[in-house]
Amino acid sequence: MLISDSMPLLWLVYLLLSLVVLVTGHLGIRFLPRLPRWVLTGVVAGLILMPGHYTLSMPEQTSDYTGWAPAIVMAVVAKLQHQSATGAFFLLAIGAGIGALLGILIWQSGRRRNNDRSPGRRPGTDSQVYGATPKQSRREPVIG
Protein backbone atom coordinates (compact mmCIF):
# COMPACT_ATOMS: atom_id res chain seq x y z
CA MET A 1 0.00 0.00 0.00
CA LEU A 2 1.26 3.46 -0.88
CA ILE A 3 0.60 5.03 2.51
CA SER A 4 2.29 2.31 4.56
CA ASP A 5 5.50 2.32 2.49
CA SER A 6 7.43 5.46 3.11
CA MET A 7 9.82 5.26 0.13
CA PRO A 8 7.17 5.21 -2.64
CA LEU A 9 5.36 8.02 -0.90
CA LEU A 10 8.59 9.98 -0.58
CA TRP A 11 9.30 9.52 -4.29
CA LEU A 12 5.74 10.53 -5.18
CA VAL A 13 5.98 13.72 -3.15
CA TYR A 14 9.41 14.46 -4.64
CA LEU A 15 8.10 13.99 -8.19
CA LEU A 16 5.07 16.20 -7.55
CA LEU A 17 7.19 18.97 -6.03
CA SER A 18 9.66 18.65 -8.91
CA LEU A 19 6.81 19.06 -11.36
CA VAL A 20 5.68 22.20 -9.54
CA VAL A 21 9.24 23.57 -9.65
CA LEU A 22 9.57 22.81 -13.37
CA VAL A 23 6.25 24.36 -14.36
CA THR A 24 6.70 27.51 -12.28
CA GLY A 25 10.31 27.82 -13.40
CA HIS A 26 9.32 27.45 -17.05
CA LEU A 27 6.60 30.06 -16.64
CA GLY A 28 8.97 32.32 -14.71
CA ILE A 29 11.45 32.55 -17.58
CA ARG A 30 8.88 33.51 -20.24
CA PHE A 31 11.02 36.51 -21.18
CA LEU A 32 13.53 34.16 -22.85
CA PRO A 33 13.07 32.91 -26.41
CA ARG A 34 11.65 29.40 -26.76
CA LEU A 35 14.89 27.50 -27.43
CA PRO A 36 16.84 28.75 -24.38
CA ARG A 37 13.70 28.45 -22.24
CA TRP A 38 13.16 24.78 -23.19
CA VAL A 39 16.86 23.94 -22.88
CA LEU A 40 17.11 25.56 -19.45
CA THR A 41 13.94 23.81 -18.28
CA GLY A 42 15.31 20.50 -19.61
CA VAL A 43 18.63 20.95 -17.83
CA VAL A 44 16.89 21.69 -14.53
CA ALA A 45 14.58 18.70 -15.06
CA GLY A 46 17.57 16.46 -15.72
CA LEU A 47 19.32 17.73 -12.61
CA ILE A 48 16.43 17.23 -10.22
CA LEU A 49 14.98 14.02 -11.69
CA MET A 50 18.15 11.97 -12.31
CA PRO A 51 18.17 8.99 -9.92
CA GLY A 52 21.26 7.47 -8.38
CA HIS A 53 22.06 4.34 -6.40
CA TYR A 54 23.73 4.79 -3.03
CA THR A 55 25.15 2.61 -0.27
CA LEU A 56 25.41 3.59 3.39
CA SER A 57 27.50 1.62 5.81
CA MET A 58 25.82 1.01 9.13
CA PRO A 59 27.61 1.57 12.46
CA GLU A 60 27.41 -2.13 13.34
CA GLN A 61 29.20 -3.05 10.08
CA THR A 62 26.91 -6.06 9.71
CA SER A 63 25.26 -4.90 6.52
CA ASP A 64 25.05 -1.91 4.25
CA TYR A 65 21.91 0.02 3.47
CA THR A 66 21.34 0.57 -0.24
CA GLY A 67 18.68 2.44 -2.12
CA TRP A 68 17.80 5.00 -4.77
CA ALA A 69 17.81 8.76 -4.34
CA PRO A 70 17.92 11.81 -6.60
CA ALA A 71 21.49 12.41 -7.74
CA ILE A 72 21.30 16.04 -6.67
CA VAL A 73 20.55 14.94 -3.10
CA MET A 74 23.42 12.44 -3.21
CA ALA A 75 25.83 15.13 -4.41
CA VAL A 76 24.77 17.65 -1.76
CA VAL A 77 25.00 15.09 1.07
CA ALA A 78 28.42 13.92 -0.11
CA LYS A 79 29.71 17.49 -0.24
CA LEU A 80 28.30 18.28 3.22
CA GLN A 81 30.05 15.19 4.61
CA HIS A 82 33.31 16.13 2.84
CA GLN A 83 33.28 12.94 0.76
CA SER A 84 33.94 12.38 -2.89
CA ALA A 85 30.86 12.99 -5.00
CA THR A 86 32.29 12.23 -8.44
CA GLY A 87 29.71 9.53 -9.15
CA ALA A 88 26.83 11.82 -8.26
CA PHE A 89 28.25 14.69 -10.28
CA PHE A 90 28.72 12.35 -13.25
CA LEU A 91 25.05 11.36 -12.97
CA LEU A 92 24.10 15.03 -12.74
CA ALA A 93 26.05 15.79 -15.93
CA ILE A 94 24.31 12.91 -17.73
CA GLY A 95 20.91 14.09 -16.48
CA ALA A 96 21.58 17.68 -17.55
CA GLY A 97 22.68 16.50 -21.00
CA ILE A 98 19.61 14.30 -21.46
CA GLY A 99 17.38 17.13 -20.27
CA ALA A 100 18.99 19.60 -22.69
CA LEU A 101 18.50 17.16 -25.58
CA LEU A 102 14.86 16.65 -24.63
CA GLY A 103 14.39 20.42 -24.44
CA ILE A 104 15.81 20.80 -27.96
CA LEU A 105 13.52 18.02 -29.21
CA ILE A 106 10.46 19.68 -27.65
CA TRP A 107 11.47 22.99 -29.21
CA GLN A 108 11.90 21.37 -32.64
CA SER A 109 8.55 19.61 -32.45
CA GLY A 110 6.79 22.87 -31.57
CA ARG A 111 8.64 24.65 -34.34
CA ARG A 112 7.73 21.99 -36.88
CA ARG A 113 4.08 22.12 -35.82
CA ASN A 114 4.01 25.92 -36.24
CA ASN A 115 5.60 25.64 -39.69
CA ASP A 116 3.02 23.06 -40.78
CA ARG A 117 0.15 25.42 -39.96
CA SER A 118 1.17 28.20 -42.32
CA PRO A 119 3.66 27.23 -45.00
CA GLY A 120 5.13 30.43 -46.39
CA ARG A 121 2.91 32.87 -44.49
CA ARG A 122 3.32 34.59 -41.22
CA PRO A 123 0.23 35.04 -39.06
CA GLY A 124 -1.17 38.54 -39.16
CA THR A 125 0.47 39.58 -42.47
CA ASP A 126 -2.76 39.50 -44.45
CA SER A 127 -6.43 39.97 -43.70
CA GLN A 128 -7.34 36.28 -43.86
CA VAL A 129 -8.08 34.14 -40.86
CA TYR A 130 -4.98 32.31 -39.65
CA GLY A 131 -4.97 28.74 -40.92
CA ALA A 132 -7.63 29.24 -43.61
CA THR A 133 -6.77 28.62 -47.24
CA PRO A 134 -7.54 31.41 -49.73
CA LYS A 135 -10.65 29.65 -51.10
CA GLN A 136 -12.16 29.04 -47.66
CA SER A 137 -13.94 31.66 -45.68
CA ARG A 138 -14.64 31.65 -42.01
CA ARG A 139 -17.79 29.87 -40.99
CA GLU A 140 -19.61 30.74 -37.82
CA PRO A 141 -20.52 27.83 -35.54
CA VAL A 142 -24.13 26.72 -35.76
CA ILE A 143 -26.07 25.03 -32.97
CA GLY A 144 -28.48 22.30 -34.10
Side-chain angles (χ1 to χ4, degrees), residues 48-111:
I48 64 177
L49 295 176
M50 186 68 179
H53 192 276
Y54 67 92
T55 303
L56 292 174
S57 57
M58 302 303 261
E60 301 91 35
Q61 298 296 336
T62 57
S63 65
D64 292 337
Y65 182 76
T66 61
W68 290 89
I72 189 87
V73 173
M74 292 172 34
V76 168
V77 169
K79 278 298 179 186
L80 288 176
Q81 293 179 350
H82 302 293
Q83 295 176 351
S84 174
T86 54
F89 284 122
F90 181 70
L91 288 173
L92 287 175
I94 290 173
I98 291 171
L101 288 176
L102 286 175
I104 291 171
L105 289 175
I106 291 171
W107 172 74
Q108 280 182 341
S109 71
R111 189 170 164 221

Side-chain angles (χ1 to χ4, degrees), residues 16-31:
L16 289 175
L17 287 176
S18 299
L19 183 65
V20 168
V21 166
L22 289 176
V23 169
T24 56
H26 183 76
L27 293 175
I29 56 173
R30 296 283 300 191
F31 60 90

